Amino acid sequence: MKSVRIGSVGLGRLGYEHAKNLSMLLPGCTLHAVCDVDEERLRSVAEVLDIPHVYTDFAEMCTDPELDGVVIVSPSFLHVEQIRIAMEHGKHVFCEKPLGIDLAQCKEAEKVVEVHPELVFQLGFMRRFDPSYAEAKRRVDAGEIGKVVLVRSYTQDPRSTIESTLKFAPHSGGQFLDMCVHDLDLVRWFTGSNIKNVWGLGGVFEFDLYRELNDADNAAVMVQCDNGTMGFLFTNRTHAAGCNVETEIIGTRGTLRIAPVGTKDLLQIVDEHGARQEYYPDFMSRWHTAFLAEMQAFTDHIRNGTRPTDMTVYDGTAVSEAAYRCKESFETGKMLPIR
Ligand SMILES: NC(=O)c1ccc[n+]([C@@H]2O[C@H](COP(=O)([O-])OP(=O)(O)OC[C@H]3O[C@@H](n4cnc5c(N)ncnc54)[C@H](O)[C@@H]3O)[C@@H](O)[C@H]2O)c1
């Protein structure tokens, strides 16, 4: 089996996780090169993971003829430019969410992907690769809960990682684009419908930085889809017990509920506080299996000459656009249609 050679850009919180998976846990794939502007970080990651080639310049990494594909885990505002550079150098692309930080960037990404049908393009909406979410989708598609009526989804990062969250906040694109975009993707995926109207709500309940960024540290969204189905989303970064992501799909004949309590393992702790199970400590551990599965799918597509059938560049635009409208709605206090 030919080993697929990957170059990965961005070695921060998630970039390091993807780099570890690519270099140690995925059969049939070699992490050939890594790139980061932080030279100290770059050298130390390359040493720990034993990566032969290092770059501080992404365009230079893309000139390496040995590379088959790139994995983009850089700050969100860089994604589209890096997609363009990689594809112009003939590299397959996996890009983290969100696609772009404004509609113009998303449309530019669409054009780049359209002129390179010979290359794999995959976006990082990893929840679709999580076994519980994939099973829920299979049951929804099989009609087991009748017609989908409402998707309720919460995304809460733990307070224990708030320091890195606050550092990341200025280039995150904001709560709606950075966090709710996952839940907006789930609404489209489970309802099979485009989003028609959004009403973004929120406030600064604790961290003044979010006020400076014209953002909310706690945010919610009411969603109405083209086919009449509904969504209710909530996000914050200060969940007390760990990473909490829960999703409920309510249908006319039943309900599917994923991880009402995101337990890290099967261990039950009994002490003076009672009996409890611990949450996943962070998003990396919650989505470990999904991060691996999405990267396995990406490298398999490269090796087999196949293409992802969903989560296209157009889906990336659609969910990003919904997220931009949520932010506008939050700012104006009005429910807004998606253009
Ligand atoms: N799928 C998910 O659930 C998920 C979770 C976290 C982050 N993300 C996405 O992953 C991306 C990275 O997020 P993060 O939390 O790892 O960010 P981070 O800030 O922790 O890391 C970003 C890294 O990129 C490097 N970098 C900055 N500019 C660069 C450039 N021009 N060239 C090369 N490297 C550069 C930085 O030095 C840093 O090491 C974001 O787009 C984010 O939305 C997705």
Side-chain angles (χ1 to χ4, degrees), residues 236-305:
N236 73 3
R237 305 274 195 177
T238 49
H239 192 252
C243 172
N244 182 52
V245 175
E246 53 182 87
T247 302
E248 190 172 54
I249 307 127
I250 299 173
T252 51
R253 295 190 165 261
T255 294
L256 297 168
R257 199 172 293 137
I258 303 156
V261 174
T263 48
K264 166 177 102 153
D265 48 36
L266 297 177
L267 182 69
Q268 190 174 47
I269 302 162
V270 182
D271 57 18
E272 69 273 23
H273 303 296
R276 65 180 193 278
Q277 282 184 279
E278 291 196 335
Y279 270 71
Y280 291 101
D282 50 38
F283 71 84
M284 265 88 76
S285 51
R286 168 62 185 90
W287 303 108
H288 176 70
T289 311
F291 284 136
L292 265 177
E294 69 177 355
M295 217 46 84
Q296 185 73 66
F298 176 57
T299 53
D300 284 350
H301 282 307
I302 296 176
R303 188 178 309 101
N304 302 330

Side-chain angles (χ1 to χ4, degrees), residues 165-166 168-172 174 204 207-216 327 330-331:
T165 300
L166 293 176
F168 171 73
H171 70 76
S172 70
V204 177
F207 300 104
D208 286 340
L209 173 68
Y210 287 88
R211 205 184 314 280
E212 287 168 35
L213 298 172
N214 194 23
D215 200 358
K327 177 81 189 308
F330 158 70
E331 286 168 357

Side-chain angles (χ1 to χ4, degrees), residues 12-14 36 73-74 76 79 96-97 126 171 178 182:
R13 295 180 313 165
L14 182 55
D36 200 295
V73 207
S74 54
S76 304
H79 290 178
E96 260 310 324
K97 51 56 64 175
M126 76 297 179
H171 70 76
D178 189 51
H182 281 296

Side-chain angles (χ1 to χ4, degrees), residues 2 21 23 69 79 96 102 113 116 119 122 125 130 152 157 162 187-188 194-195 205 258 262 270 289 300 319 328 338:
K2 177 184 175 284
N21 290 343
S23 65
H79 290 178
E96 260 310 324
D102 58 35
V113 172
H116 292 289
L119 297 172
Q122 188 179 323
F125 283 92
D130 177 85
R152 176 184 69 83
D157 270 354
I162 191 67
V187 169
R188 288 182 80 246
N194 271 321
I195 294 170
F205 290 79
I258 303 156
V270 182
T289 311
D300 284 350
V319 284
E328 252 180 278
I338 308 300

